[in-house]
Amino acid sequence: MYYRRIRDDLQVALCMPQHADALFTLADENREYLKAWLSWLDAMQTVEDTRQFIQSTQDEFAKGAALHHVLLYQGSLVGVVSFNSIDKINGIGQIGYWLGEPYTQRGLMTAAVADLIHLGFNELCLERVEIRCAVENWRSRAIPERLGFELEGTLRSVQKVGKARYAHAVYGLLASEQLSY
Ligand SMILES: CC(C)(COP(=O)(O)OP(=O)(O)OC[C@H]1O[C@@H](n2cnc3c(N)ncnc32)[C@H](O)[C@@H]1OP(=O)(O)O)[C@@H](O)C(=O)NCCC(=O)NCCS
């Protein structure tokens, strides 16, 4: 299995079929917390849905088109941090993330996103990383802001979650720029 150590108590691993049960349980137990911001959650109703999702991430990884990590804190699976898409032609990675609510407010995701960015620039030879967050999702926006991304603009009405439609704040960081971490 592929692991990256971030701190003594924090690792990431490539998302694999053996994570399906723990990943489904985490998403299901945190449904109320996550559902305001994550469009895919309604389609994730059974562990089989999670297995199919993991298979699709592996297919994308094999093509070099995405990289999904599970976040392991003190040995437990607590979230996901990913390049949801990798544009190899233009050298751009688009980052996505979520945590189970009990694991928030500890700096875990900021550390994991910083690690993913190092991997993107130093090992995947990306030139730009991008994070898009609903404009009202202040906890999510705090991550690129903490890490020194530039707020480049907003895209109107690009995400539907339940009955809500959200505009996205678009944050970018270039390989030539300083990651604040
Ligand atoms: C987005 C999300 C992952 C952010 O979680 P988070 O806990 O705020 O982020 P971190 O793990 O980086 O923790 C940062 C918090 O821990 C605190 N913290 C504690 N120790 C820290 C450390 N060593 N380093 C950095 N922050 C630390 C920070 O002060 C911050 O809290 P604050 O915002 O009250 O100041 C989480 O809110 C989530 O999963 N939301 C639902 C899904 C979602 O919105 N995903 C993103 C879609 S774009």
Side-chain angles (χ1 to χ4, degrees), residues 32-47:
E32 280 305 307
Y33 173 66
L34 298 170
K35 72 177 187 189
W37 308 116
L38 301 180
S39 321
W40 50 263
L41 204 60
D42 281 348
M44 187 76 77
Q45 293 297 336
T46 67
V47 71

Side-chain angles (χ1 to χ4, degrees), residues 33-34 37-38 97-99 104-110 132-133 137 139-140 143 146:
Y33 173 66
L34 298 170
W37 308 116
L38 301 180
Y97 40 75
W98 62 270
L99 277 173
T104 59
Q105 307 288 288
R106 301 164 195 239
L108 302 183
M109 193 52 80
T110 300
R132 298 183 179 194
C133 317
N137 191 349
R139 290 225 167 271
S140 182
I143 291 176
R146 217 175 267 130

Side-chain angles (χ1 to χ4, degrees), residues 18-180:
Q18 53 264 47
H19 297 126
D21 287 338
L23 189 55
F24 174 72
T25 301
L26 185 73
D28 200 43
E29 287 179 352
N30 289 276
R31 208 169 269 279
E32 280 305 307
Y33 173 66
L34 298 170
K35 72 177 187 189
W37 308 116
L38 301 180
S39 321
W40 50 263
L41 204 60
D42 281 348
M44 187 76 77
Q45 293 297 336
T46 67
V47 71
E48 188 51 37
D49 296 329
T50 304
R51 281 205 185 88
Q52 285 178 20
F53 164 73
I54 292 174
Q55 183 59 56
S56 72
T57 68
Q58 294 201 300
D59 295 344
E60 293 297 293
F61 178 65
K63 289 187 276 185
L67 170 58
H68 288 75
H69 283 156
V70 290
L71 192 58
L72 303 170
Y73 175 59
Q74 297 178 346
S76 297
L77 197 162
V78 300
V80 172
V81 57
S82 314
F83 281 121
N84 287 335
S85 69
I86 296 173
D87 171 350
K88 284 195 283 190
I89 294 175
N90 294 300
I92 301 172
Q94 197 170 100
I95 294 177
Y97 40 75
W98 62 270
L99 277 173
E101 188 175 13
Y103 307 102
T104 59
Q105 307 288 288
R106 301 164 195 239
L108 302 183
M109 193 52 80
T110 300
V113 171
D115 176 73
L116 191 68
I117 292 167
H118 281 297
L119 185 151
F121 288 151
N122 299 328
E123 296 176 39
L124 305 179
C125 300
L126 299 179
E127 290 295 332
R128 167 185 168 86
V129 292
E130 205 176 282
I131 298 179
R132 298 183 179 194
C133 317
V135 168
E136 299 89 340
N137 191 349
W138 294 106
R139 290 225 167 271
S140 182
R141 293 183 63 172
I143 291 176
E145 289 183 1
R146 217 175 267 130
L147 293 175
F149 280 58
E150 184 167 327
L151 175 60
E152 296 176 333
T154 55
L155 299 172
R156 297 177 300 158
S157 194
V158 287
Q159 186 189 14
K160 183 166 181 284
V161 186
K163 290 183 180 148
R165 290 199 68 87
Y166 294 121
H168 275 185
V170 179
Y171 291 90
L173 184 77
L174 306 185
S176 56
E177 294 171 343
Q178 187 66 39
L179 177 69
S180 318

